[in-house]
Amino acid sequence: MSARAPRVTINDVASRAGVSKGAVSMAFNDRPGVSRATRERIFEVARELGWAPHHTARSLSGRRAGIVGLAICRPARLLGLEPFYMEFISGIESVLTERGCSLLLRLVRDLDEEIALYEEWWRSKTIGGAILVDFQQEDPRVAPLRALGLPAVAVGHPSLTGGFPSVWTDDATAAADAVRYLAALGHRRIARVGGPAGLGHSAIRARAFEATMAELGLDGRRQVSTRFAGEEGARATRGLLLARDRPTAIVYDNDIMAVAGAAVAAEMGLVVPDDVSLLAWDDSQLCRLTHPPLSALSHDVHRFGAEVARALFEVIEGTRSGALQVPTPSLAPRGSTGPPRSRTGT
Amino acid sequence: MSARAPRVTINDVASRAGVSKGAVSMAFNDRPGVSRATRERIFEVARELGWAPHHTARSLSGRRAGIVGLAICRPARLLGLEPFYMEFISGIESVLTERGCSLLLRLVRDLDEEIALYEEWWRSKTIGGAILVDFQQEDPRVAPLRALGLPAVAVGHPSLTGGFPSVWTDDATAAADAVRYLAALGHRRIARVGGPAGLGHSAIRARAFEATMAELGLDGRRQVSTRFAGEEGARATRGLLLARDRPTAIVYDNDIMAVAGAAVAAEMGLVVPDDVSLLAWDDSQLCRLTHPPLSALSHDVHRFGAEVARALFEVIEGTRSGALQVPTPSLAPRGSTGPPRSRTGT
């Protein structure tokens, strides 16, 4: 009907950037094979020419260009205190920024509010996709959000995410590794300071902890639930270390609680690791800034966030429907773990 | 023209919530005088009835309902490592959530990209307002964004924010307090590990530090610039403590660098505070989780973020045009500061 305006194609982008069509495609799918510099040049040319991959353009047309939603069900105060989410969000942003996309962030009070929010965001064409986090067992978000047709990536074990393409890390193996490592050092009384019992990945870690302890003939019931706050980690540590048969090693579900645990040990005159070994999870820079530095189940949370964002683009573009496993947290032994000084009382 | 639908008024909200009109107004302007519980009931009723204050409704009409933009010019990796921004964002979210609003977050590479982004967000009616941060001296964003008519709150000293309504804290007084406190303890060689030299609030602190040192007859040139990362704080501390006339006290521009400084002191066999006193800035929970706990120039960053969000609503509603000063960071002395053990070499 209308006169045809010259249409920008992938060939124009490739030729202007001085690369092959394949390189443009690889860049936009965040696949290896193009250098960082080349990728950035390709994105710049694409921005200049106003070109976007076909699938993205089609899926996002009529939607707010490139806005991705993330609702987090956590009190604002707590969110500000935990390194995990900020590193995770920074990883998401690192990929969104490359694509000229932004993150729409909202804290919600409960999952019903989260469901209503996504319905509103999707129906009002505010967002082009969503990142779903903190899956519970039998998560109530799955059915209504699947029915909505919202393109989304679920962060969590595939057994929890009810058919949403998930990005996950093997918490069970990591928790078992932690127990076996501490047992190999000679620890018999090992405790765990975990996250909320209802949270899927905390429950997976709790079960793996208890099962591995049982395999080794040890009692895996010394576990405390928290909401991940440092103060709770301090309180839990104090409680554990004041008990008659105090543990000689403690595994924490994040790093801020382990840092707090180290301060409690110091305040009680206990030497780390001689009197008590401490093992953190997540491994933000905090773990390397304490003295002694904290041993950790280390994973790259920033990269985890980046992988989630990439997976969401693939879902929007229709090239991903299955799960993506990111590397299992691996043990980074540092100064806070060692053989127990005394082995009495086991 | 059309049949008039019964229009919801502030009276309906007040009567349904069982409060006065004045109370509804106070709640929506976040003024003291209504309890937290009452305020929440008022917001809930307003949501149920679909009522919003006149000014908000008018200013946001045709815009994405209640989306507030925040661009941060900082590498994604660094953002994830600093407690300040996450606490600040959590404070913003605490107010946005009450109003059913969301934060659109984007990391940008430079201020030109930030300007272009706000132009696009504003022209495409994506956002109803913006929060501008990290003001530089002679900040290039001021002119183009003022010309755009974008309702915005600027976080920074009024001398930096070029006519945008600003929310600011008195960094100069806090920096002077830090120096006077350490000098009163007997310190003569005091160093400062600061933020980027081009950043407005870092420059204000640097000048106040040097001026106060000079007033006391001390040399205020022991200052190091960083980009706020813990590793840089460690490196700067190591450099300062290895110098021949090493300082007996160090002031840091955030808390993560002070935590890193404490670990460096321990690694060098120096006792805090006998050999070196350490004073942090911002005072996230980190400062209370180390041993000894870190003395800090303490301010409530979460509340700072909340005040910024409230001020933005007032700007959008047309009830604020001037600056708002939030409390000056106040000294919280803890275990990491004390008199120097030896006073040789001054």
Side-chain angles (χ1 to χ4, degrees):
Chain A
M1 313 293 173
S2 60
R4 294 180 89 174
R7 196 159 147 275
V8 177
T9 68
I10 190 170
N11 291 315
D12 301 320
V13 176
S15 116
R16 171 87 73 101
V19 299
S20 68
K21 267 172 59 178
V24 176
S25 176
M26 280 190 286
F28 272 91
N29 288 301
D30 284 303
R31 290 292 151 236
V34 267
S35 73
R36 193 177 162 78
T38 305
R39 202 169 50 168
E40 290 193 350
R41 195 169 70 247
I42 291 168
F43 289 145
E44 201 172 320
V45 168
R47 264 198 302 271
E48 278 170 30
L49 299 179
W51 181 85
H54 186 55
H55 290 299
T56 311
R58 190 181 55 200
S59 306
L60 292 178
S61 67
R63 311 237 152 237
R64 280 294 128 191
I67 292 182
V68 167
L70 171 63
I72 301 181
C73 183
R74 205 165 283 212
R77 273 275 173 196
L78 275 187
L79 185 70
L81 302 178
E82 234 213 320
F84 178 88
Y85 264 112
M86 200 65 206
E87 291 207 38
F88 185 71
I89 289 171
S90 76
I92 293 171
E93 289 280 354
S94 71
V95 171
L96 295 189
T97 297
E98 282 181 352
R99 310 285 194 107
C101 295
S102 307
L103 185 68
L104 190 58
L105 183 67
R106 171 85 71 91
L107 303 188
V108 292
R109 269 164 293 196
D110 55 46
L111 297 183
D112 285 341
E113 190 179 334
E114 181 172 335
I115 293 165
L117 176 68
Y118 279 125
E119 285 172 349
E120 184 208 316
W121 277 353
W122 181 243
R123 295 207 167 116
S124 63
K125 303 192 176 183
T126 301
I127 60 171
I131 293 167
L132 309 175
V133 295
D134 284 344
F135 272 78
Q136 302 184 350
Q137 328 235 36
E138 309 289 331
D139 197 281
R141 292 170 293 183
V142 171
L145 297 187
R146 297 265 302 171
L148 202 60
L150 172 71
V153 163
V155 179
H157 190 271
S159 67
L160 300 164
T161 58
F164 277 111
S166 75
V167 180
W168 67 288
T169 184
D170 187 350
D171 284 297
T173 296
D177 286 349
V179 171
R180 290 206 187 91
Y181 163 67
L182 293 168
L185 287 174
H187 294 279
R188 316 298 296 161
R189 295 192 306 274
I190 306 170
R192 175 176 168 271
V193 177
L199 205 58
H201 75 263
S202 291
I204 288 172
R205 292 181 195 174
R207 281 197 301 269
F209 180 88
E210 190 162 353
T212 312
M213 289 289 280
E215 266 173 46
L216 298 168
L218 303 174
D219 178 359
R221 286 169 305 173
R222 276 192 190 86
Q223 299 197 48
V224 184
S225 281
T226 69
R227 294 185 306 164
F228 296 118
E231 280 86 354
E232 293 174 291
R235 205 176 309 130
T237 304
R238 221 172 268 121
L240 288 165
L241 294 180
L242 287 171
R244 206 165 52 89
D245 277 347
R246 66 175 171 78
T248 59
I250 307 176
V251 184
Y252 296 85
D253 250 13
N254 69 3
D255 42 17
I256 192 93
M257 293 197 294
V259 171
V264 166
E267 144 210 324
M268 291 174 70
L270 297 174
V271 175
V272 175
D274 296 356
D275 296 316
V276 60
S277 283
L278 305 175
L279 185 55
W281 205 295
D282 287 343
D283 199 17
S284 75
Q285 67 170 352
L286 276 184
C287 296
R288 280 150 283 161
L289 295 179
T290 56
H291 185 83
L294 287 167
S295 304
L297 284 156
S298 180
H299 61 152
D300 187 337
V301 174
H302 180 91
R303 184 179 153 194
F304 192 1
E307 292 287 355
V308 166
R310 282 189 200 111
L312 178 59
F313 282 113
E314 292 174 348
V315 167
I316 291 172
E317 289 156 11
T319 59
R320 164 169 302 279
S321 57
L324 171 70
Q325 186 179 351
V326 300
T328 303
S330 69
L331 194 68
R334 302 196 185 100
S336 70
T337 47
R341 184 149 59 180
S342 67
R343 301 190 190 188
T344 55
T346 46
Chain B
M1 314 290 174
S2 60
R4 294 180 88 171
R7 195 161 147 274
V8 177
T9 69
I10 190 170
N11 291 315
D12 301 322
V13 176
S15 114
R16 171 87 73 101
V19 298
S20 68
K21 266 171 59 178
V24 175
S25 176
M26 281 190 285
F28 270 91
N29 288 301
D30 283 304
R31 289 293 149 233
V34 267
S35 73
R36 195 178 160 78
T38 304
R39 203 170 50 170
E40 291 193 349
R41 193 168 71 245
I42 291 168
F43 289 144
E44 201 174 320
V45 168
R47 265 198 303 271
E48 278 170 28
L49 299 179
W51 182 85
H54 185 54
H55 289 298
T56 313
R58 189 181 56 198
S59 307
L60 293 177
S61 67
R63 310 240 152 234
R64 281 292 130 192
I67 292 182
V68 167
L70 171 63
I72 301 181
C73 181
R74 204 164 284 212
R77 273 275 175 198
L78 275 187
L79 185 70
L81 302 178
E82 234 213 319
F84 178 88
Y85 264 111
M86 201 66 206
E87 291 206 38
F88 185 71
I89 288 171
S90 76
I92 293 171
E93 289 282 353
S94 70
V95 171
L96 295 189
T97 297
E98 281 181 351
R99 311 284 194 106
C101 295
S102 307
L103 185 70
L104 191 58
L105 183 68
R106 172 85 73 92
L107 303 189
V108 291
R109 269 164 295 194
D110 54 46
L111 297 183
D112 285 341
E113 189 179 333
E114 181 172 334
I115 293 164
L117 177 68
Y118 279 125
E119 286 172 349
E120 184 208 316
W121 278 353
W122 180 243
R123 296 209 166 113
S124 64
K125 304 192 174 185
T126 301
I127 59 172
I131 293 168
L132 308 175
V133 296
D134 284 344
F135 272 79
Q136 301 184 351
Q137 327 236 37
E138 309 289 329
D139 198 281
R141 291 168 294 181
V142 171
L145 297 187
R146 296 264 303 170
L148 202 61
L150 172 70
V153 164
V155 180
H157 190 270
S159 67
L160 300 165
T161 59
F164 278 112
S166 75
V167 180
W168 67 288
T169 183
D170 186 350
D171 282 297
T173 296
D177 287 349
V179 170
R180 291 206 186 93
Y181 163 68
L182 293 168
L185 287 174
H187 295 277
R188 315 298 296 161
R189 295 193 306 274
I190 306 171
R192 175 175 168 271
V193 177
L199 206 57
H201 74 263
S202 291
I204 288 171
R205 292 180 195 174
R207 280 196 302 269
F209 179 88
E210 190 163 352
T212 312
M213 289 289 280
E215 266 173 46
L216 299 168
L218 304 175
D219 178 359
R221 287 169 304 174
R222 277 192 190 85
Q223 298 198 49
V224 185
S225 283
T226 69
R227 294 186 307 164
F228 296 119
E231 279 86 354
E232 292 173 292
R235 204 176 311 129
T237 305
R238 220 173 270 119
L240 288 166
L241 295 181
L242 286 172
R244 205 165 54 88
D245 276 348
R246 64 175 172 78
T248 60
I250 306 176
V251 184
Y252 295 84
D253 250 13
N254 69 3
D255 43 17
I256 192 94
M257 294 196 294
V259 171
V264 166
E267 142 210 326
M268 292 175 69
L270 297 175
V271 175
V272 174
D274 296 355
D275 296 316
V276 61
S277 283
L278 305 176
L279 185 56
W281 205 296
D282 289 343
D283 198 18
S284 75
Q285 67 170 351
L286 276 183
C287 296
R288 281 149 282 162
L289 296 178
T290 56
H291 185 85
L294 287 166
S295 303
L297 283 157
S298 179
H299 61 151
D300 188 336
V301 175
H302 179 92
R303 184 179 152 195
F304 193 1
E307 292 288 354
V308 167
R310 281 188 202 113
L312 179 59
F313 282 114
E314 292 173 349
V315 168
I316 291 172
E317 289 155 14
T319 58
R320 165 171 300 281
S321 57
L324 172 70
Q325 185 179 351
V326 301
T328 303
S330 67
L331 193 69
R334 303 196 184 98
S336 71
T337 46
R341 185 150 57 180
S342 67
R343 301 191 190 187
T344 56
T346 46

